[in-house]
Amino acid sequence: MKTVKFLSVLNTLGGTETIDRLFASQFCTTEDEASLTWFMLLMALSALQRQGHTCVDVRKLANTPLFVDETQQLNGWRYPAEEQLEHAIEQAMKNSVVASALVYQHGRLYTRRYWQFEREIGQALAQRCAPLTLSDEDYARLNTLWPGMFSTDPTAEQDWQQLATACAVQQRFTVISGGPGTGKTYTVTRLLLALQCVAKGRSKIQLAAPTGKAAQRMNESIAGALEKLRGHLDESLINSVPTDAVTLHRLLGISRFGVETRKNQANPLQCDVLIVDEASMIDMALMARVVRALPAQARLILVGDADQLPAVESGNVLEALVEGHNSELISAALQQHLQRMCPHLPVPKVSDKANDYVKMLHTSRRFGGDLATVATAIKANAPSAAWQIIRPAELPADITANQGVLSVSDSAFEAHFVHLVRQCFSAQMNPSLTPAEALQQMARCRWLSPVRNGEWGVNTLNQRIEQALQVAGGH
């Protein structure tokens, strides 16, 4: 039976789940006041893992309240000083059962499973961070190819896409990260061409993404980018770049209900280059399986936006890899490489603290004006700046002709729902269109929702749009 002290604390916690208490109870068998700190550390670890984290950072948790829910008037629990937290952990780790299931290292408390994943990924990626050596012949090939892909005119403004491509040619591990419209597909396509140029078209390239939809989008994007280069580059080089991305689960051979993979250290992937799009969706467990299956000499290129789609399960690998990165810094070895590849570009500063494997794309090329300003403000957590640009929509106006950023009230949206649907989606219902033309019309306008279910969720909106189009079409 729990002591009065335990019960009084548990009754003040908000945002907890039954699994948190069960987890904490499993590794905290004593229920006295001295064990309360350890019990609450376990509660924090379980809750943070549910939220996508892999560990508890004891230094950040110290002297901080957690499980506060003001709406329910629950004050949560303030964690004591770091020294007290560490003492509680040290005492708990004397229990062999606890020590076998949990790990405390560098001020962080993990379940052993996620600690092993993190260590395995870190070691695998660190082994790929040493720069590759390119021959004079390689540089000659690349210098011949380069003007067909990028401008080689001297400029004082940095070309982040060109810089990322040039840097990645020399790396066995690269992260290409950037927001919407910053040219990730543009960059990846040219990187693939550069890699095939060096390999004389013989490199085995594998494209993958976490979901089927992302894989399909990757196929379409790269195929479209390659088509634009036809007539400017050698046809055989363009044809050597694949456009057949698959899901990571299919690539690794993960069964629907299992955790084992057909591809692993004993049966590695047959590829020289693995490029994974939408890498922000890769969690720690999936990333561990990727590095296990990747041949030692293969290149790994992760592409995505750490501020966009979150990891499916615990551990946002992409976010951790790009956190704190300074795009203005490179190593001395990379500087020498860039001087041979892109002497026309500004040279970033040399620093021994540079992470050469991270390449950030900063300039949006998809949109500008008000939309870019609003997006930048939202990303910078500056809502007041965003609202200065957003203006109320005057319905029933033609919103598809709008060049700014509009807001629509709930009541106006409901009152003019059918009108909005007809504006945005009627063109694709033309029976004379071919399937390809209908898909092109669908791409002209898309409604996005941050949730799948509920009144404003994707499922509900899709049903309502379909019903409105049926009414508009008279059937």
Side-chain angles (χ1 to χ4, degrees):
M1 182 175 178
K2 287 185 170 57
T3 64
V4 173
K5 181 70 174 180
F6 260 51
L7 289 174
S8 64
V9 170
L10 290 173
N11 290 334
T12 66
L13 304 183
T16 64
E17 300 286 348
T18 302
I19 186 64
D20 302 330
R21 301 188 184 198
L22 291 174
F23 176 80
S25 298
Q26 182 177 1
F27 297 108
C28 182
T29 55
T30 58
E31 298 177 346
D32 52 28
E33 185 171 349
S35 302
L36 178 60
T37 299
W38 172 239
F39 183 88
M40 291 305 299
L41 278 166
L42 293 171
M43 288 283 290
L45 178 58
S46 177
L48 288 171
Q49 283 193 346
R50 285 192 294 102
Q51 296 168 18
H53 302 280
T54 58
C55 64
V56 169
D57 189 327
V58 171
R59 291 160 294 190
K60 293 181 179 179
L61 192 63
N63 301 309
T64 302
L66 202 63
F67 304 116
V68 177
D69 188 340
E70 295 180 355
T71 60
Q72 300 294 323
Q73 296 183 337
L74 298 174
N75 297 324
W77 196 70
R78 177 174 287 276
Y79 285 78
E82 183 178 345
E83 294 77 11
Q84 290 177 258
L85 295 176
E86 288 184 337
H87 177 72
I89 294 172
E90 290 172 2
Q91 293 299 114
M93 287 295 176
K94 294 178 181 179
N95 184 304
S96 59
V97 174
V98 172
S100 65
L102 303 172
V103 175
Y104 182 62
Q105 189 177 67
H106 305 308
R108 294 181 172 90
L109 180 65
Y110 299 81
T111 56
R112 184 166 293 276
R113 177 173 181 261
Y114 280 105
W115 174 78
Q116 289 174 334
F117 285 153
E118 189 170 299
R119 184 177 66 166
E120 189 174 358
I121 294 167
Q123 291 175 346
L125 298 184
Q127 292 170 0
R128 286 183 157 80
C129 284
L132 298 172
T133 301
L134 300 181
S135 67
D136 290 339
E137 181 185 356
D138 293 334
Y139 280 112
R141 286 177 171 274
L142 289 169
N143 289 334
T144 300
L145 170 69
W146 220 250
M149 302 194 302
F150 298 106
S151 170
T152 55
D153 295 332
T155 176
E157 184 178 353
Q158 190 61 270
D159 184 338
W160 296 107
Q161 296 167 329
Q162 186 173 171
L163 184 72
T165 305
C167 292
V169 169
Q170 199 196 27
Q171 305 289 325
R172 275 199 298 137
F173 172 55
T174 302
V175 174
I176 298 176
S177 180
T182 53
K184 294 186 289 293
T185 299
Y186 178 97
T187 303
V188 167
T189 303
R190 282 153 179 76
L191 174 57
L192 291 173
L193 289 164
L195 294 178
Q196 285 292 43
C197 176
V198 171
K200 301 178 182 179
R202 295 192 292 266
S203 187
K204 296 180 181 178
I205 298 173
Q206 178 64 62
L207 309 178
T211 67
K213 187 173 183 179
Q216 179 61 30
R217 177 60 182 159
M218 188 181 190
N219 290 338
E220 295 171 354
S221 299
I222 292 179
L226 289 172
E227 283 301 314
K228 293 178 181 179
L229 291 170
R230 293 194 185 276
H232 302 281
L233 298 176
D234 182 76
E235 281 291 311
S236 62
L237 179 63
I238 292 176
N239 293 335
S240 69
V241 175
T243 57
D244 53 347
V246 298
T247 65
L248 283 172
H249 283 70
R250 180 180 177 185
L251 178 68
L252 299 174
I254 302 176
S255 63
R256 183 176 180 182
F257 300 107
V259 294
E260 298 300 323
T261 61
R262 290 195 300 273
K263 295 297 182 180
N264 47 46
Q265 297 98 322
N267 182 31
L269 296 168
Q270 300 299 310
C271 66
D272 302 309
V273 180
L274 173 61
I275 297 189
V276 184
D277 198 11
E278 299 293 1
S280 62
M281 299 174 68
I282 304 176
D283 57 71
M284 194 74 72
L286 184 56
M287 189 65 193
R289 292 175 173 88
V290 169
V291 297
R292 288 172 192 164
L294 198 62
Q297 299 305 314
R299 295 176 187 256
L300 174 61
I301 301 165
L302 302 179
V303 185
D305 179 3
D307 296 324
Q308 203 170 34
L309 298 170
V312 177
E313 299 292 344
S314 296
N316 193 330
V317 177
L318 186 67
E319 183 180 49
L321 288 170
V322 304
E323 185 178 9
H325 171 70
N326 187 341
S327 302
E328 302 292 337
L329 304 179
I330 59 173
S331 67
L334 186 55
Q335 184 190 54
Q336 294 176 2
H337 168 71
L338 289 176
Q339 287 172 342
R340 295 193 66 174
M341 286 288 301
C342 304
H344 49 281
L345 293 182
V347 180
K349 297 178 182 178
V350 172
S351 171
D352 56 3
K353 297 181 180 179
N355 293 329
D356 286 344
Y357 61 85
V358 178
K359 299 296 167 284
M360 303 293 292
L361 305 179
H362 299 281
T363 305
S364 176
R365 300 172 186 269
R366 183 180 302 165
F367 51 76
D370 289 350
L371 184 57
T373 303
V374 170
T376 301
I378 292 173
K379 189 173 181 179
N381 195 25
S384 59
W387 281 112
Q388 289 177 4
I389 305 298
I390 300 172
R391 56 188 176 84
E394 297 180 3
L395 298 177
D398 182 6
I399 64 168
T400 60
N402 170 61
Q403 298 299 315
V405 182
L406 305 179
S407 66
V408 180
S409 67
D410 292 357
S411 58
F413 183 78
E414 288 295 338
H416 301 284
F417 183 83
V418 175
H419 172 76
L420 292 172
V421 169
R422 289 176 179 176
Q423 279 193 35
C424 296
F425 303 112
S426 290
Q428 70 197 46
M429 303 299 290
N430 187 336
S432 65
L433 296 178
T434 65
E437 290 170 339
L439 289 173
Q440 288 179 348
Q441 289 294 331
M442 287 180 66
R444 288 181 59 251
C445 181
R446 296 179 182 177
W447 289 13
L448 306 180
S449 172
V451 295
R452 184 178 299 276
N453 299 312
E455 183 180 2
W456 303 106
V458 171
N459 293 334
T460 302
L461 286 174
N462 279 338
Q463 291 175 358
R464 294 189 62 190
I465 290 170
E466 184 177 350
Q467 292 169 358
L469 289 174
Q470 288 175 348
V471 171
H475 59 278

